[in-house]
């Protein structure tokens, strides 16, 4: 039924009613500033995934795993907060180093608070869901209410929420660990602790001498290891140019010194 104003309603009455509405207490009215669009946008960033855990309850899953980080997963800045990824996260090694927040609300032991993890390993059999995290015991327990970590680990496969986030390693610069199989004609290195996107799409190497402006494209060897098989002796020191999955690029100048040795670790002065 439509509301019809009667002709007997005077203009004075209409003006009075309008004035009353304007002078209502603002706290009793709808205030668009109180409607948190940013909160809704933040909530919408989360997506569904499955989660399990492996290794020791308070451990780092496994030492190193398919990305090649070795026992670095036990120590700062990874600090055991790591995960193996199903195929959609591991991406045949291209997902190594990417950071995610994970949280759970489906179990009484879930805190609902997010924990940040890094992809450091592969879970090839984790295909029951389109996205699956096989977390370290420490990372899985970090989603629990304090004191209920064991209860949460006993839950089996857990339905969680996740979202991609920037990696952040305060005070840490890029590290290059030269592969033990490297030689004067073949150079391979593990790259770790990338801030920002965390994962890389392209890596180039520039040697000293000769055409100093020539960048040689490296290939992904396995996990977070990149290689260059030049077919001839490479002249150190080497500079390395990296491009992250978000398009950001940087150069670590002369990060691999003359006289470098296979198996040695070299720390740069830069990070994303």
């Amino acid at each position: 039924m439509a509301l019809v104003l009667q002709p007997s309603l005077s203009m004075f009455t209409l003006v009075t009613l309008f004035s009353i509405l304007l002078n209502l207490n603002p706290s009793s009215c709808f205030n668009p500033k109180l409607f948190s669009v940013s909160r809704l946008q933040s909530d919408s960033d989360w997506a569904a995934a499955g989660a399990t855990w492996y290794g020791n309850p308070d451990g780092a899953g496994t030492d190193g795993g398919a990305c090649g980080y070795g026992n670095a997963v036990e120590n700062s800045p990874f600090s055991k907060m790591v995960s193996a990824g199903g195929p959609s996260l591991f991406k045949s090694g291209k997902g190594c180093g990417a950071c995610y927040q994970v949280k759970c609300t489906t179990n009484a032991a879930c805190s609902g608070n997010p924990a940040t993890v890094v992809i450091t390993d592969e879970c090839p059999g984790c295909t029951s869901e389109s996205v699956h995290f096989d977390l370290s015991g420490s990372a899985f327990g970090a989603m629990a209410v304090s004191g209920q970590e064991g209860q949460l680990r006993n839950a089996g496969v857990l339905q969680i929420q996740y979202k991609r986030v920037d990696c952040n390693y305060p005070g840490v610069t890029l590290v290059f660990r030269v592969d033990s199989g490297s030689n004067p004609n073949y150079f391979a290195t593990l790259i770790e602790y990338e801030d920002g996107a965390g994962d890389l799409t392209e890596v180039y190497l520039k040697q000293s001498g000769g055409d100093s402006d020539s960048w040689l494209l490296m290939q992904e060897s396995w996990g977070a290891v990149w290689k260059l098989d030049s077919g001839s002796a490479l002249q150190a020191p080497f500079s390395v140019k990296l491009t992250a999955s978000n398009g950001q690029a940087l150069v670590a100048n002369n990060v691999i010194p003359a006289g470098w040795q296979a198996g040695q670790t070299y720390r740069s002065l830069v990070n994303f």
Side-chain angles (χ1 to χ4, degrees):
M1 177 182 294
L3 178 62
V4 179
L5 291 176
Q6 298 299 322
S8 59
L9 196 59
S10 69
M11 182 59 70
F12 175 80
T13 304
L14 288 173
V15 172
T16 302
L17 288 172
F18 187 71
S19 177
I20 292 172
L21 288 172
L22 288 177
N23 287 282
L24 284 173
N25 187 335
S27 65
S28 65
C29 299
F30 173 71
N31 185 346
K33 292 183 179 179
L34 299 180
F35 189 71
S36 178
V37 176
S38 62
R39 175 62 182 273
L40 291 178
Q41 290 173 337
S42 177
D43 288 346
S44 70
D45 291 341
W46 294 90
T52 46
W53 65 279
Y54 72 119
N56 295 324
D58 297 316
T62 186
D63 286 343
C67 289
Y69 295 125
N71 59 11
V73 296
E74 297 272 353
N75 306 314
S76 178
F78 290 147
S79 303
K80 305 180 184 179
M81 294 297 291
V82 297
S83 179
S88 65
L89 295 173
F90 185 71
K91 303 175 184 177
S92 300
K94 286 182 169 55
C96 288
C99 294
Y100 296 86
Q101 283 189 338
V102 293
K103 66 179 181 179
C104 71
T105 57
T106 56
N107 185 285
C110 291
S111 70
N113 298 322
T116 302
V117 298
V118 186
I119 298 298
T120 60
D121 199 1
E122 178 184 18
C123 183
C126 294
T127 56
S128 298
E129 302 88 6
S130 59
V131 179
H132 190 99
F133 293 84
D134 197 18
L135 298 158
S136 68
S138 296
F140 200 92
M143 296 188 295
V145 174
S146 180
Q148 298 186 34
E149 294 85 357
Q151 179 181 330
L152 189 62
R153 293 190 192 101
N154 290 333
V157 179
L158 197 63
Q159 296 304 307
I160 65 166
Q161 292 179 296
Y162 80 100
K163 67 177 177 180
R164 181 77 178 265
V165 295
D166 283 345
C167 300
N168 184 24
Y169 305 116
V172 177
T173 55
L174 294 174
V175 168
F176 297 81
R177 282 197 275 154
V178 180
D179 187 81
S180 59
S182 296
N183 59 58
N185 299 335
Y186 171 85
F187 181 79
T189 181
L190 174 83
I191 305 171
E192 57 190 344
Y193 309 142
E194 299 96 317
D195 276 341
D199 51 353
L200 302 173
T201 56
E202 288 184 334
V203 178
Y204 292 83
L205 180 143
K206 184 170 68 174
Q207 53 185 325
S208 65
D211 185 358
S212 60
D213 292 327
S214 177
W215 287 98
L216 305 174
L217 179 64
M218 302 183 73
Q219 296 177 316
E220 185 185 11
S221 178
W222 63 277
V225 178
W226 294 78
K227 66 180 181 179
L228 175 63
D229 192 353
S230 69
S232 59
L234 292 164
Q235 302 298 316
F238 304 144
S239 296
V240 182
K241 179 167 65 176
L242 308 92
T243 302
S245 63
N246 61 4
Q248 290 187 328
L250 62 70
V251 174
N253 284 310
N254 299 323
V255 65
I256 308 299
W260 61 267
Q261 295 184 350
Q264 291 300 305
T265 298
Y266 300 98
R267 186 175 296 275
S268 74
L269 299 176
V270 296
N271 208 330
F272 287 97

